[in-house]
Amino acid sequence: MFDCSKDVRAYHDQDVTLPKKDQEAMRDRRNSNRTRLRNGLEKAGKPAPLEFVSQGSYAMKTMVRDPDHDYDIDDGVYFRKEDLVGDRGAEMTSLQARQMVRDAVDDGKFKSPPEVRQNCVRVFYEKGYHVDLPVYRRVVVQTAFGEDVHYELAASSGWKRSDARDVSDWYEDERARSADGTQLRRVNRDLKKYARSRYSWRGSILSGFGISVLTTEQFRADDREDRAFYDTMTAIRDRLNWDLQVAHPVTPGDYLTSGADDARARCFRDKLTEAINTLEPLFAADCTREKALKCWDKVFATTFFSERLEDEKRASVAGAVAIGAAALLSATAAAAGGAPVGGGAADARRPGARAPRCGDPRRRLSDPRLDRRGLAPADRLLRRRHPAHRHPGGGALPDHAGPDRPGRSPRGPDLAACRGRRRPVPAAQPGRV
């Protein structure tokens, strides 16, 4: 299979997982709902909630990005059973408990008022997402072994034993048992993203929770992200080929599907088969990166992968242009200033290099007043008039001038003392004529 591991991982990080700002916005809405519900219950003289517990994909951290902000945040609200008493002292029914929560959370400021649903109270927001508030009661039963504590959901069929925390705990346990729990969650998100990649699928495909259950059942870890996604997708498809039923992971006897030929599970299976067939060219020996990325675009109904390739091409061209420009600039500078030869100006600028002495030709490279031998006008005058400058060891120089001695140069010997002095004739040496 052509390696697109980095591309699939980049797609997950940039287009699948929720951005931080959206996560913070949903957390703020959740907290606002909690405050609104507490205040509404207190104002109506109703019992205060025992606690709030986040649940579902929000708690499991498997929510995926949606262009229309169609997010579902589940935030369970818990009461004591003994507190849920009606006006006549009778125990509240599951419907009455949901209605109580709906009335308390509706402060009249919503464009669309909260609604009582089958298993929750739904609060709508203008940006597209909504918050579901399932209502639970805490039941304490005295037994021969002490207190037995369990929770019941206010469902459409009455009070039903259930606890949202059981689902979150189950998912974390499955991740801990897997070969790579972090990759499992990423693949889970990618599969949910694929199931929602076409608007026409959304009303007829398996629920996100059902996809999460199947992902934990059939997850295939791999060092390559694309391979892990493909192998898990294939394993789920094969599993649905022989059984379309998906059991609830924490409620014995309950199913997330309806019957042995559930239409939503069948739709998900067929769409997985389409994705597997779309990726078939990646197994060909002559597959190219461009062909492979186009296949991934088709799977997720996006242009992310092809645009990623175009960005790489533009970056490559820009890099080549920058290198060429740098080389041209270097060549131009060398032609204009001349290349340093044998310890030239470049050596003089090197850290720790010794400064050129008087008479060193390197000095002319840093001072335009110097001649080709590196001598200033005063140095040339001394060389002409004072023999010691021309013949090292040929005699002592006069005292240097100081700031308090007029007529003497502070840069060298007394020029007046040099005037009129004749150059001494060197003594004859043996063996030389």
Side-chain angles (χ1 to χ4, degrees):
M1 183 179 185
F2 195 92
D3 190 352
C4 295
S5 179
K6 293 182 179 179
D7 305 288
V8 173
R9 178 61 184 273
Y11 179 66
H12 169 273
D13 294 345
Q14 298 178 35
D15 269 25
V16 176
T17 190
L18 283 180
K20 188 175 181 180
K21 64 177 183 179
D22 286 353
Q23 297 179 23
E24 293 174 349
M26 285 186 287
R27 184 172 60 249
D28 293 342
R29 294 289 187 273
R30 181 203 65 185
N31 294 338
S32 297
N33 262 332
R34 292 179 176 182
T35 301
R36 187 180 297 110
L37 178 58
R38 288 193 187 97
N39 294 339
L41 290 171
E42 182 180 1
K43 184 178 180 180
K46 299 299 182 179
L50 180 65
E51 62 179 333
F52 293 90
V53 178
S54 295
Q55 61 186 65
S57 59
Y58 181 83
M60 290 160 36
K61 301 178 182 178
T62 58
M63 297 184 72
V64 298
R65 187 178 304 198
D66 185 89
D68 299 326
H69 296 89
D70 185 11
Y71 301 130
D72 178 10
I73 308 172
D74 298 321
D75 196 32
V77 53
Y78 289 70
F79 296 89
R80 295 180 180 87
K81 178 183 178 180
E82 53 269 23
D83 291 341
L84 296 180
V85 180
D87 295 336
R88 299 182 180 181
E91 179 182 287
M92 278 190 185
T93 65
S94 62
L95 177 59
Q96 289 174 333
R98 281 177 282 144
Q99 289 173 339
M100 177 190 71
V101 171
R102 187 272 316 274
D103 295 341
V105 78
D106 186 5
D107 57 1
K109 297 180 180 179
F110 291 101
K111 184 176 182 180
S112 298
E115 295 179 357
V116 174
R117 295 295 181 99
Q118 289 187 349
N119 296 318
C120 67
V121 175
R122 177 162 293 181
V123 181
F124 300 93
Y125 287 90
E126 292 183 2
K127 288 188 176 181
Y129 56 86
H130 57 268
V131 177
D132 286 341
L133 300 173
V135 182
Y136 296 87
R137 66 181 185 180
R138 182 176 182 267
V139 181
V140 180
V141 179
Q142 296 293 336
T143 67
F145 303 98
E147 291 185 347
D148 175 61
V149 179
H150 67 271
Y151 298 88
E152 295 176 347
L153 171 67
S156 58
S157 58
W159 291 104
K160 180 180 179 180
R161 186 160 181 165
S162 176
D163 186 6
R165 285 170 291 205
D166 293 342
V167 174
S168 300
D169 293 342
W170 158 81
Y171 190 73
E172 289 305 315
D173 291 341
E174 291 296 320
R175 291 182 59 242
R177 281 195 291 267
S178 69
D180 188 340
T182 303
Q183 189 180 63
L184 184 151
R185 179 177 277 156
R186 291 198 302 267
V187 171
N188 194 168
R189 293 192 191 112
D190 289 339
L191 285 168
K192 291 177 66 176
K193 180 71 172 180
Y194 172 65
R196 296 178 62 83
S197 60
R198 280 79 166 174
Y199 286 103
S200 60
W201 296 359
R202 297 191 178 189
S204 57
I205 205 164
L206 189 63
S207 68
F209 185 37
I211 294 174
S212 296
V213 172
L214 291 173
T215 302
T216 58
E217 283 184 13
Q218 305 298 327
F219 173 63
R220 302 291 189 267
D222 198 281
D223 291 338
R224 283 175 48 182
E225 194 78 2
D226 57 342
R227 192 84 204 192
F229 175 78
Y230 179 87
D231 291 346
T232 302
M233 182 168 55
T234 304
I236 293 175
R237 190 275 310 270
D238 295 343
R239 186 267 200 214
L240 292 176
N241 274 337
W242 59 266
D243 186 7
L244 288 174
Q245 295 190 87
V246 181
H248 195 288
V250 298
T251 306
D254 280 4
Y255 286 86
L256 304 177
T257 51
S258 56
D261 191 27
D262 182 76
R264 293 175 179 269
R266 187 174 64 251
C267 176
F268 185 52
R269 179 198 63 188
D270 295 343
K271 299 309 178 185
L272 291 179
T273 301
E274 291 180 11
I276 293 169
N277 293 337
T278 300
L279 295 175
E280 188 65 27
L282 275 71
F283 293 88
D286 60 347
C287 182
T288 64
R289 177 165 170 76
E290 183 175 1
K291 291 180 181 179
L293 293 181
K294 285 183 178 179
C295 291
W296 283 109
D297 273 341
K298 188 175 181 180
V299 167
F300 287 103
T302 182
T303 58
F304 175 87
F305 296 93
S306 296
E307 289 175 359
R308 181 175 168 85
L309 179 60
E310 292 301 319
D311 290 343
E312 291 175 356
K313 291 180 179 179
R314 284 192 291 268
S316 177
V317 171
V321 170
I323 293 175
L328 179 61
L329 182 62
S330 177
T332 303
V341 179
D347 291 336
R349 292 192 298 267
R350 187 173 62 250
R354 296 177 59 186
R357 297 174 296 174
C358 174
D360 192 328
R362 289 180 296 172
R363 294 179 64 197
R364 67 185 179 87
L365 297 177
S366 58
D367 191 340
R369 298 172 300 173
L370 307 183
D371 64 7
R372 60 185 178 81
R373 295 170 297 172
L375 298 177
D379 298 327
R380 293 196 295 271
L381 179 62
L382 290 177
R383 286 221 172 189
R384 288 196 304 268
R385 297 202 174 196
H386 203 287
H389 279 275
R390 299 184 63 182
H391 300 280
L397 294 175
D399 294 337
H400 283 201
D404 56 343
R405 302 181 66 182
R408 294 179 180 269
S409 169
R411 294 174 55 91
D414 186 354
L415 299 182
C418 297
R419 295 191 182 97
R421 296 183 61 176
R422 300 180 63 84
R423 179 179 176 183
V425 178
Q429 298 181 10
R432 301 186 67 178
V433 180

